[in-house]
Amino acid sequence: MANEKIALLRKNGGVPTVKVTIGQAQWGSFGVYVTTKDGLGWEVERKGHSWDSVEAEVDLELSPTQLDGRDVWIDMVITPLVVGDPYAATIEVRQEGQAVSGGQLPPYKGVTDRHNFMLSALVRLLTK
Amino acid sequence: MSTAKTPASLLVVPILLWCAPSWAQDAPAAQPADRPELSAENQNRLKAEAFALDLSVPEAPAFVALGITPDKITRPTSPRELGAALLNGVDDQGNLQTGVAIDFVPYLALGGDDLTLALYRQNDFGPIGMRRIASRFAVSAATSKGTDSDDKSVRLALGFRLTPWDEGDARANTTIDGCVVKQHDAIIDRLKASGPFLHAVVMRKIGDPTLMWNTLADQLKEHGPDWVKDEYKEAYEAEKKEYEKQHQDDVPPPVVPPFKIPFTNREIEGWEAATAKCFEDAKRENWNAAAWDLGIAPTWVSESSGFNDLGSAGGTVWSSLSLNLPGDDWWGLRSLPDVVTADGRREPANPFAHETDVYTFARQHFQLLVHTRYRWDTRVDDPNSAGNMKILQDDVLIGGRIRAGISRLAISAEAAWVHENPQGLPGRDGQRYAVSGEVKITDSIWLQVSAGSSDNLDSGNDGFVIGSLRYGLSTESPYDTWQQVR
């Protein structure tokens, strides 16, 4: 898929995590989901908010081998202080505290046009 | 201690009696005959603002310094955009371009992408958070052309605005979190429930992950659910067919869920309205929060419009301090315990849920504002010259306002004193006072009564005179006005 990024996990690199940063001091919530093997449902579900902790990083609960070939969707809702304010969201797939190859997605930036600005990101995980 | 609620009418009548025109006809005290009157500019300024003196620091000081209201304001959000905006202000020959209007917060533009709300709220030195202060420092810049077609000069202003203290900072208001999260959780759950197959179809159809759900929501609003279903059905069925072909040998065969729109237009509108209300309620609750705003705007003029020809043209500095009584935390008193919601979550208690004593009542319903403004090297008409000669003048304005808001009644009393120091001439001063009361008649109608008086703002004025009495109806609540302008 054109907008799908591919992150390469290290087989022995530990349980991967996803770090979601919703910036510009906006209110943001996110859900991180790993698809089932058949791609029709969710096997892992994690949630977070931009006001809960300085760093919002969730672990994916499965080993790199189990995650091979799976998709990770990150759904986000961003509420600006004032509609029309800029938004910024960055996503990183990490192992052992470092971004994996291809795991640093290009930042999502723009201008909000509603109180609840929705966006999603997709990462395909491959294990080497 | 119960709070006595004075019927609004009893408070409005005394104001009306005090301001009655018949009383104003009585002779006031006499003033020295040779008392110099204020410059026309300050006279007009105070008269125009008779019943709502502008005692605030402007949001974009550069625009106010030049006296302009730009139609188009550039708000750069990245270093590249800032560079482009600055380059647009000067042409290849180094001439300043007119009509430039830039307004931005440097910290958010250059480093705000990594600034989460949690980081914003972190304190660095005691209760002081440097990221919050940096986020409340704004820069504005503007250029304007000369006064007429023969005037080739270009004026430039830079503005700096800082709010080092803001008890009403919405981003630091954790009550908003508990309100906003309800909509966020509902939206995230809906998107999750739509499943990965629909996610993939919508993303492929729209092509941009930042647009996919917002576009779907807009399509629902514009065209309705039937149109959306038809629009996506073909793509969904094609994806489903492709998927089933790839998994035809799976045992058991996977079942692709039927196409279902994740939300309705009504739900979207409900979430939008509920989220907007979170901020409106917070603003209303914090209308009298203490804060300190500062602003400065130096200006320059270039007679030839060349950048190298710029010369100082004066400037303005502002300070507004709004105060209310400090809360329990400041006094070290016991704060209200958290409340437990029906679903078991702990949320901070709403400190405005009830008024337990006179102090709390006063804290929630009163605000005092003190404002100063100093301008230097303003060009004003020379009163001793018959032609269009100008002289330089410094002036200072000191003003104050006290507001009291009690649900259906809002009262404001304000005063301002201006002193001018024109070049080569004796100093002169003037004062203005105003008081207004607003009573809520219905949910959307307020009765406004206001009166003002002035001293030394009219030619031949002999002293303190009640200027005028006004009354009328307004559909705008004074709290909405107060929360927009301190």
Side-chain angles (χ1 to χ4, degrees):
Chain A
M1 196 181 317
N3 291 294
E4 183 182 49
K5 309 301 174 194
I6 295 177
L8 295 175
L9 305 176
R10 296 187 304 280
K11 197 172 180 181
N12 301 316
V15 173
T17 60
V18 173
K19 183 179 170 189
V20 181
T21 304
I22 295 174
Q24 294 292 328
Q26 309 286 28
W27 285 262
S29 300
F30 62 86
V32 176
Y33 313 105
V34 178
T35 59
T36 50
K37 275 189 181 169
D38 62 11
L40 295 179
W42 309 118
E43 183 158 341
V44 176
E45 301 170 16
R46 314 288 274 159
K47 288 185 181 178
H49 307 290
S50 64
W51 57 84
D52 271 346
S53 59
V54 171
E55 290 203 338
E57 191 165 350
V58 298
D59 67 77
L60 296 182
E61 295 180 357
L62 301 172
S63 70
T65 307
Q66 289 171 309
L67 287 168
D68 188 24
R70 308 272 194 114
D71 285 340
V72 178
W73 280 94
I74 302 100
D75 290 336
M76 290 169 277
V77 184
I78 298 176
T79 292
L81 181 60
V82 175
V83 173
D85 277 354
Y87 71 87
T90 51
I91 293 159
E92 262 185 25
V93 178
R94 297 154 68 100
Q95 274 183 302
E96 294 170 337
Q98 301 283 331
V100 303
S101 174
Q104 209 163 19
L105 274 63
Y108 295 93
K109 293 183 63 162
V111 175
T112 57
D113 61 357
R114 58 201 73 204
H115 291 289
N116 297 296
F117 192 87
M118 301 176 279
L119 62 161
S120 289
L122 170 62
V123 182
R124 165 74 50 101
L125 301 178
L126 296 178
T127 305
K128 55 178 181 177
Chain B
M1 178 176 168
S2 64
T3 57
K5 299 220 186 282
T6 308
S9 56
L10 292 182
L11 290 174
V12 170
V13 169
I15 293 170
L16 284 172
L17 288 177
W18 180 69
C19 299
S22 60
W23 188 87
Q25 308 292 327
D26 295 335
Q31 288 284 90
D34 60 350
R35 185 175 175 188
E37 61 185 34
L38 282 181
S39 63
E41 194 221 2
N42 272 321
Q43 285 196 40
N44 290 337
R45 178 186 169 86
L46 290 184
K47 278 188 217 170
E49 297 162 355
F51 303 110
L53 289 166
D54 183 6
L55 301 179
S56 62
V57 177
E59 289 296 319
F63 303 165
V64 171
L66 294 185
I68 61 174
T69 309
D71 293 326
K72 186 174 177 303
I73 302 171
T74 302
R75 300 184 198 277
T77 58
S78 68
R80 178 189 286 186
E81 288 179 16
L82 175 60
L86 292 174
L87 282 174
N88 283 340
V90 183
D91 69 14
D92 296 337
Q93 276 77 50
N95 295 319
L96 286 167
Q97 301 298 293
T98 60
V100 171
I102 302 171
D103 186 20
F104 71 108
V105 177
Y107 179 64
L108 293 181
L110 302 177
D113 290 354
D114 296 328
L115 181 66
T116 62
L117 202 51
L119 210 53
Y120 180 90
R121 292 172 178 173
Q122 250 188 1
N123 291 334
D124 300 297
F125 310 105
I128 300 172
M130 296 308 295
R131 292 178 190 86
R132 287 197 295 282
I133 293 176
S135 300
R136 297 194 296 246
F137 174 67
V139 176
S140 51
T143 58
S144 66
K145 57 186 178 181
T147 50
D148 55 48
S149 56
D150 294 330
D151 185 355
K152 301 298 176 199
S153 66
V154 174
R155 297 164 65 216
L156 165 70
L158 284 182
F160 304 94
R161 190 186 198 278
L162 174 67
T163 304
W165 181 35
D166 187 0
E167 294 291 322
D169 185 349
R171 287 192 167 112
N173 185 344
T174 55
T175 307
I176 295 178
D177 305 348
C179 184
V180 164
V181 77
K182 291 175 193 155
Q183 281 67 250
H184 282 203
D185 281 351
I187 294 168
I188 293 285
D189 285 346
R190 280 312 186 96
L191 295 180
K192 184 196 97 176
S194 70
F197 205 81
L198 182 73
H199 272 63
V201 169
V202 174
M203 182 181 273
R204 265 195 266 272
K205 178 109 175 102
I206 294 174
D208 185 337
T210 60
L211 296 177
M212 52 193 271
W213 300 120
N214 299 323
T215 300
L216 189 65
D218 292 344
Q219 288 171 341
L220 269 172
K221 182 177 178 179
E222 189 175 349
H223 302 292
D226 293 332
W227 182 94
V228 171
K229 272 186 199 154
D230 289 343
E231 181 73 9
Y232 286 83
K233 200 170 160 186
E234 198 178 308
Y236 197 87
E237 292 302 322
E239 295 266 351
K240 183 179 170 188
K241 208 175 261 185
E242 180 64 30
Y243 179 88
E244 284 168 345
K245 187 176 164 188
Q246 286 177 6
H247 294 264
Q248 59 188 350
D249 296 329
D250 289 4
V251 176
V255 178
V256 177
F259 174 79
K260 188 179 178 229
I261 305 171
F263 36 65
T264 64
N265 185 48
R266 187 176 234 181
E267 285 171 329
I268 293 280
E269 288 180 345
W271 292 327
E272 287 290 289
T275 304
K277 191 170 182 299
C278 294
F279 292 94
E280 285 160 16
D281 289 347
K283 268 192 199 170
R284 201 162 285 132
E285 298 286 358
N286 289 289
W287 69 269
N288 63 342
W292 185 25
D293 299 316
L294 297 166
I296 185 167
T299 63
W300 297 266
V301 64
S302 169
E303 299 297 337
S304 66
S305 79
F307 187 82
N308 294 327
D309 193 27
L310 284 169
S312 173
T316 311
V317 60
W318 300 262
S319 169
S320 273
L321 179 65
S322 48
L323 298 168
N324 67 355
L325 297 173
D328 289 347
D329 289 345
W330 192 87
W331 294 108
L333 298 176
R334 178 184 60 84
S335 55
L336 293 173
D338 288 349
V339 296
V340 180
T341 61
D343 56 4
R345 272 187 305 178
R346 298 185 73 85
E347 289 180 354
N350 183 350
F352 303 104
H354 60 278
E355 295 144 4
T356 55
D357 51 44
V358 174
Y359 184 88
T360 306
F361 179 84
R363 181 175 181 278
Q364 290 171 7
H365 297 292
F366 286 84
Q367 182 191 53
L368 172 67
L369 186 141
V370 178
H371 175 85
T372 54
R373 183 203 73 197
Y374 173 71
R375 295 189 303 178
W376 70 91
D377 291 350
T378 307
R379 289 164 62 84
V380 298
D381 292 332
D382 182 354
N384 295 331
S385 134
N388 292 330
M389 297 295 290
K390 300 280 188 185
I391 54 172
L392 295 181
Q393 171 179 284
D394 296 345
D395 64 65
V396 62
L397 179 149
I398 298 175
R401 171 185 292 134
I402 186 160
R403 283 170 171 164
I406 312 170
S407 183
R408 303 180 72 89
L409 173 67
I411 297 172
S412 175
E414 50 202 41
W417 170 80
V418 173
H419 176 77
E420 293 178 342
N421 198 19
Q423 187 180 32
L425 294 171
R428 50 202 184 188
D429 53 41
Q431 301 91 37
R432 174 166 281 285
Y433 315 98
V435 62
S436 67
E438 296 183 71
V439 179
K440 188 176 182 180
I441 306 296
T442 69
D443 279 346
S444 55
I445 298 178
W446 289 73
L447 171 65
Q448 295 175 324
V449 179
S450 50
S453 69
S454 62
D455 178 27
N456 198 30
L457 294 187
D458 297 300
S459 299
N461 180 39
D462 289 334
F464 188 88
V465 175
I466 296 290
S468 60
L469 169 71
R470 286 196 332 195
Y471 58 89
L473 297 176
S474 168
T475 55
E476 188 174 21
S477 157
Y479 298 104
D480 291 334
T481 308
W482 291 0
Q483 75 197 13
Q484 289 157 19
V485 181
R486 290 198 226 275

